[in-house]
Amino acid sequence: MSVSVRVIPCLDVDAGRVVKGVNFQDLRDAGDPVELAARYDLEGADELTFLDVTASSSGRSTMIDVVRRTAEQIFIPLTVGGGVRSVEDVDQLLRAGADKCGVNTAAIARPALVSEIAERFGNQVLVLSIDARRVTEGTPEGSARTGSGFEVTTHGGRRGTGIDAIAWIREVSERGVGEILLNSMDADGTKDGFDLELITLAREATGVPLIASGGAGTPQDFAPAVHAGADAVLAASVFHFGPMTIGEAKAAMAADGISVR
């Protein structure tokens, strides 16, 4: 593999603090986002992702302040998502110091937003976040059977959309998205490893760079995600609370023959 795989810590920011839970439930405090960002920069993170889990207009000014203070402290690309609903929101975040913006729910509601952002700022700033979940008999109301067996969800995986996740990946790729952050809601926070089937299906559907998210538990979990087709690997709680460092994750991938930075 000629291009080095990126390791990306993800910080879920709620009202100016980093939080983490399992399947987006039972959130607990993980510290100050600016301090954590600076630590990850020093530890060798290739990029950082902030997700504004407050994601409301009331949380917007807090998040912009956090982004501005973080951008002054770090020297690696910063992606910010959560509550991004318009070209204007992207403009605000980029001016505050974000390098890329993540879009999720607003693109599901109005897919043309993907094209609008890509045309205005270039596709390199646009990361489309997808919270995908297996469709089973017990999935919540609002779900639908999908051809791939995975559907797009909203509200932290609690609400099904009936949209086939793989078909959605194809559509947003055609609309000009720069990267896809693919989060497995089944694996999120479980530390049982990435959803390799989901990553493989996504890789077959698009040539757009894929960031695998959800399920990292040990340094050995990352290489299989890359072999399945991920260009970057993202994790949160395993970096925030232990049991591993970014260096250990990179060492494990390098030992598996994967090029890392």
Side-chain angles (χ1 to χ4, degrees):
M1 182 173 291
S2 57
V3 179
S4 296
V5 170
R6 292 165 289 148
V7 177
I8 308 173
C10 179
L11 288 75
D12 295 327
V13 181
D14 182 7
R17 298 290 292 179
V18 177
V19 295
K20 188 56 192 167
V22 177
N23 300 122
F24 289 78
Q25 305 284 313
D26 303 318
L27 299 178
R28 60 173 169 151
D29 189 275
D32 176 71
V34 183
E35 289 175 12
L36 270 175
R39 188 187 100 195
Y40 287 137
D41 190 4
L42 287 172
E43 285 184 6
D46 299 303
E47 296 185 11
L48 278 175
T49 293
F50 278 7
L51 292 181
D52 179 7
V53 296
T54 313
S56 64
S57 54
S58 61
R60 175 69 57 204
S61 59
T62 302
M63 193 62 179
I64 284 176
D65 178 58
V66 168
V67 169
R68 190 174 285 117
R69 288 189 293 123
T70 302
E72 291 169 356
Q73 296 289 326
I74 66 171
F75 302 94
I76 52 177
L78 174 63
T79 299
V80 183
V84 175
R85 299 182 179 91
S86 66
V87 167
E88 289 70 31
D89 288 342
V90 173
D91 188 56
Q92 267 194 316
L93 289 166
L94 293 177
R95 287 177 188 275
D99 297 281
K100 308 176 195 176
C101 287
V103 180
N104 187 343
T105 308
I108 295 167
R110 198 171 68 82
L113 179 62
V114 174
S115 311
E116 290 167 9
I117 294 170
E119 287 165 12
R120 170 83 178 270
F121 303 105
N123 61 4
Q124 76 281 353
V125 309
L126 180 57
V127 180
L128 197 286
S129 182
I130 298 175
D131 293 331
R133 178 186 60 199
R134 274 184 171 71
V135 181
T136 62
E137 293 298 333
T139 47
E141 196 175 345
S143 304
R145 292 239 167 256
T146 57
S148 69
F150 291 92
E151 78 168 324
V152 177
T153 68
T154 60
H155 299 79
R158 293 186 296 278
R159 190 171 298 178
T161 62
I163 298 169
D164 184 291
I166 305 305
W168 180 232
I169 286 169
R170 290 194 191 96
E171 178 175 347
V172 297
S173 299
E174 289 168 6
R175 287 183 177 275
V177 69
E179 283 184 296
I180 292 169
L181 170 52
L182 184 61
N183 189 36
S184 165
M185 297 311 302
D186 301 304
D188 179 76
T190 63
K191 302 183 184 176
D192 292 332
F194 291 89
D195 190 323
L196 304 181
E197 182 189 359
L198 175 61
I199 296 167
T200 301
L201 288 171
R203 177 77 289 155
E204 290 169 354
T206 185
V208 170
L210 280 177
I211 304 167
S213 169
T218 71
Q220 286 68 41
D221 287 333
F222 293 97
V226 176
H227 293 313
D231 301 279
V233 285
L234 178 146
S237 56
V238 289
F239 293 142
H240 302 338
F241 304 116
M244 81 175 91
T245 64
I246 290 161
E248 288 167 346
K250 288 189 173 186
M253 285 192 286
D256 209 303
I258 293 167
S259 173
V260 294
R261 296 181 188 182

